[in-house]
Amino acid sequence: MAIHFDIIIIGGGPGGYTAALKAASLGFKTAIVEKEKLGGTCVNKGCIPTKSLLHAASKFKELQNCDEFGVSTDFISFDFKKMQLYKKSSVKSYRKGISDLIEAENITVLTGTAVIRRNKTVEVNGPQGKDYYAAEHLIIATGAKCVIPDIPGADLPGVLTSERLLASDTWNYDRLLVIGGGVIGVEFATIFSALCSNVTILERKAHLLGPMDSEVSQALEEELKQRGITVYCMVNVKEIREEEDHGLSCVFEMEGQEQTIRAGHILIAAGRVPFLDGLLGEDVSLEMEHGRLKVNSEFQTSEPGIYAIGDVASDILLAHVAAAQGTYVVEKIAGVEHTIRLSVVPNGMFVKLPVVPSCIYTEPEIASVGITRESAGANNMNVRCGHYSMSGNGKSIITSRQNGFVHLVFEEYSGTLVGAQIVCPRATDMISEMATAIANGLTASQLRLAMRAHPTYSEGITAAIENYFETKGDQGNDK
């Protein structure tokens, strides 16, 4: 006979454990099914380890270029194995924090692989065998897995996914070729370039970071090239070959011509797809759409009482999106007021604005929220922008990091902020102010009232707001 819970969550990543903590805090008897370790891909194989290595690599690069600050060293080197130990320590510490919270809330953790059966029953195949559990509500939060494109030679030794590359303890990446110019690709290119690798990026689209604003993509591409990273866009990868010296070569087509590039290792960073392997039993069928579980506006699947959140159902594959959706679903089940907004439609507008910060941890950092000038035009929204180059910012001058800008997008008539793109150090921290502003429908005049400390990168926001008023030709209030 099945053991009964109020809510069972399948997957212990950011969406899953956040939903579980919210459910327990609202009095639900809650269980999480996780086949590996709590924290999911983000904590164990993605966000946290990647950003740990980025931080370590940036420290090494910073020390190599500190002479202008009057700091000199006789010899600088890095120990990749120690960097990996630091990364593992960060992951372990973060995961322990999650485990402590789960334990404090008396949430049951079921270790094993989940199979959903009829009547919202979950079969868990764990170390001790097979057990059955049932719940009033199921939340699927199984995340996503790496995409391996159908490229001849993609299975050769030396062709890696981001997860395999993160797990490596030895350094032999003198020549790294990255297939894919999205977030994963450019972050790994930044890490290994900082560690003196010869890095090349191949991207099939017209520019890096496909969904991003073109100005942001161009700024990043220029910065990467200044760091010695070779970038080819509009590329069609044809084949990966193994060379006689045990190296690799990649054959690709660009502008109608076939080219070949040599590499010691190749990272395939072509994106991720929902992880659904073995999830649904033969007695359960959930509707799919574009390769994901189809959900309605309340994240309910085609089966009442079964919800799906995060990468398995969303077109935005971000940890904080999964966490926000998890909170939203549990609050919906509990019938309580929502504590988070996933999107907003400002007064007088007919466009739904995403309130989802997107962050890329390159150097400089990139962050955006809301819509761009281009997407505003596609939605027939008239906008006016405020722009500021960080070359004149006091903190940028002090730190000698003057590349970047702040770009703010305001609805023309009301002056309401509808989008922001920031390229500069600490951009990933600064974007939260812009997300808060969009979520609450704040205008340029209201944002102008805030005092921002000096010297800080955040002064660039003030300057961009002032530029909006200058281009508007109006020093007074918004209409």
Side-chain angles (χ1 to χ4, degrees):
M1 186 168 178
I3 300 172
H4 194 273
F5 290 89
D6 296 324
I7 298 177
I8 295 177
I9 298 152
I10 303 174
Y17 72 72
T18 302
L21 291 169
K22 173 60 72 171
S25 73
L26 292 174
F28 291 109
K29 183 181 178 184
T30 307
I32 293 179
V33 184
E34 173 54 54
K35 66 176 182 176
E36 295 182 356
K37 297 174 180 177
L38 286 174
T41 296
C42 174
V43 173
N44 297 291
K45 303 175 183 178
C47 310
I48 301 303
T50 302
K51 276 55 175 181
S52 296
L53 279 184
L54 269 167
H55 181 69
S58 68
K59 290 294 183 186
F60 174 67
K61 185 168 185 64
E62 191 174 356
L63 286 171
Q64 288 181 299
N65 298 277
C66 62
D67 185 66
E68 66 177 303
F69 304 116
V71 178
S72 59
T73 57
D74 294 330
F75 179 74
I76 302 171
S77 65
F78 69 88
D79 184 326
F80 192 66
K81 190 170 185 178
K82 284 187 177 180
M83 285 184 171
Q84 290 286 40
L85 289 173
Y86 156 72
K87 176 207 76 177
K88 290 175 183 177
S89 175
S90 299
V91 169
K92 186 177 179 180
S93 177
Y94 198 99
R95 190 170 59 233
K96 183 180 184 304
I98 296 168
S99 297
D100 289 348
L101 290 171
I102 294 292
E103 185 177 349
E105 292 288 351
N106 295 315
I107 297 167
T108 301
V109 178
L110 306 171
T111 302
T113 301
V115 180
I116 299 176
R117 300 295 186 182
R118 62 184 178 183
N119 299 325
K120 287 173 284 188
T121 299
V122 179
E123 173 190 310
V124 178
N125 299 286
Q128 307 304 320
K130 186 183 297 184
D131 290 297
Y132 291 89
Y133 304 87
E136 295 297 320
H137 307 278
L138 302 183
I139 300 176
I140 300 170
T142 50
K145 60 182 179 179
C146 294
V147 172
I148 306 298
D150 187 19
I151 301 172
D155 57 347
L156 287 171
V159 181
L160 311 170
T161 63
S162 59
E163 293 180 6
R164 285 184 60 195
L165 190 52
L166 279 172
S168 175
D169 282 329
T170 57
W171 175 260
N172 57 346
Y173 302 106
D174 292 332
R175 291 177 300 156
L176 179 66
L177 175 65
V178 180
I179 298 177
V183 175
I184 295 173
V186 298
E187 288 188 349
F188 273 90
T190 299
I191 291 171
F192 287 92
S193 173
L195 298 179
C196 305
S197 294
N198 185 329
V199 181
T200 300
I201 299 175
L202 301 182
E203 168 55 42
R204 66 183 178 86
K205 295 182 179 178
H207 56 74
L208 301 178
L209 306 175
M212 278 280 184
D213 178 83
S214 58
E215 186 179 9
V216 171
S217 301
Q218 184 178 354
L220 173 64
E221 188 171 332
E222 290 173 358
E223 181 65 27
L224 294 178
K225 288 179 178 178
Q226 287 179 17
R227 292 173 177 271
I229 298 173
T230 303
V231 178
Y232 296 115
C233 293
M234 296 293 286
V235 161
N236 181 25
V237 176
K238 310 289 286 185
E239 182 184 6
I240 297 172
R241 299 171 180 167
E242 189 171 24
E243 298 295 327
E244 292 182 0
D245 61 358
H246 304 294
L248 298 167
S249 63
C250 180
V251 181
F252 63 95
E253 185 179 305
M254 186 174 69
E255 296 180 351
Q257 295 187 337
E258 191 170 276
Q259 301 185 43
T260 301
I261 188 168
R262 296 286 302 271
H265 290 82
I266 295 177
L267 168 64
I268 294 184
R272 300 176 69 83
V273 293
F275 185 82
L276 294 164
D277 300 1
L279 178 65
L280 304 179
E282 63 276 5
D283 52 350
V284 173
S285 178
L286 298 180
E287 192 173 345
M288 303 288 293
E289 186 175 54
H290 307 304
R292 300 185 291 267
L293 287 175
K294 184 177 181 180
V295 296
N296 62 17
S297 60
E298 304 296 339
F299 303 100
Q300 184 168 271
T301 67
S302 54
E303 182 71 24
I306 300 180
Y307 301 83
I309 60 172
D311 296 359
V312 77
S314 176
D315 57 353
I316 303 177
L317 310 188
L318 294 171
H320 47 278
V321 170
Q325 291 175 352
T327 297
Y328 186 94
V329 167
V330 172
E331 289 173 343
K332 171 67 177 178
I333 292 170
V336 300
E337 184 179 357
H338 288 298
T339 60
I340 193 162
R341 286 183 179 176
L342 304 174
S343 62
V344 63
V345 179
N347 290 335
M349 299 185 203
F350 302 94
V351 176
K352 182 182 289 186
L353 303 178
V355 193
V356 178
S358 295
C359 299
I360 304 169
Y361 296 82
T362 49
E363 289 188 14
E365 292 182 348
I366 296 171
S368 68
V369 67
I371 62 176
T372 64
R373 184 203 296 265
E374 290 94 332
S375 57
N379 284 287
N380 297 315
M381 177 187 286
N382 294 323
V383 297
R384 188 177 298 276
C385 300
H387 188 92
Y388 176 72
S389 168
M390 294 297 285
S391 60
N393 174 263
K395 188 66 177 288
S396 297
I397 292 170
I398 291 168
T399 58
S400 192
R401 293 181 175 179
Q402 294 166 263
N403 292 341
F405 57 85
V406 176
H407 189 82
L408 306 181
V409 184
F410 298 91
E411 196 276 325
E412 186 168 32
Y413 180 77
S414 65
T416 302
L417 183 72
V418 295
Q421 297 86 44
I422 305 176
V423 179
C424 73
R426 307 303 293 271
T428 58
D429 297 317
M430 294 163 60
I431 202 66
S432 294
E433 178 187 351
M434 302 292 93
T436 300
I438 293 175
N440 289 279
L442 299 186
T443 67
S445 292
Q446 290 168 321
L447 285 167
R448 193 186 206 183
L449 294 173
M451 184 185 302
R452 297 173 183 87
H454 173 78
T456 62
Y457 297 117
S458 292
E459 288 180 286
I461 294 173
T462 300
I465 294 168
E466 291 303 320
N467 178 253
Y468 158 79
F469 282 108
E470 290 168 8
T471 58
K472 187 181 180 185
D474 178 8
Q475 297 299 315
N477 295 326
D478 302 309
K479 294 179 182 178

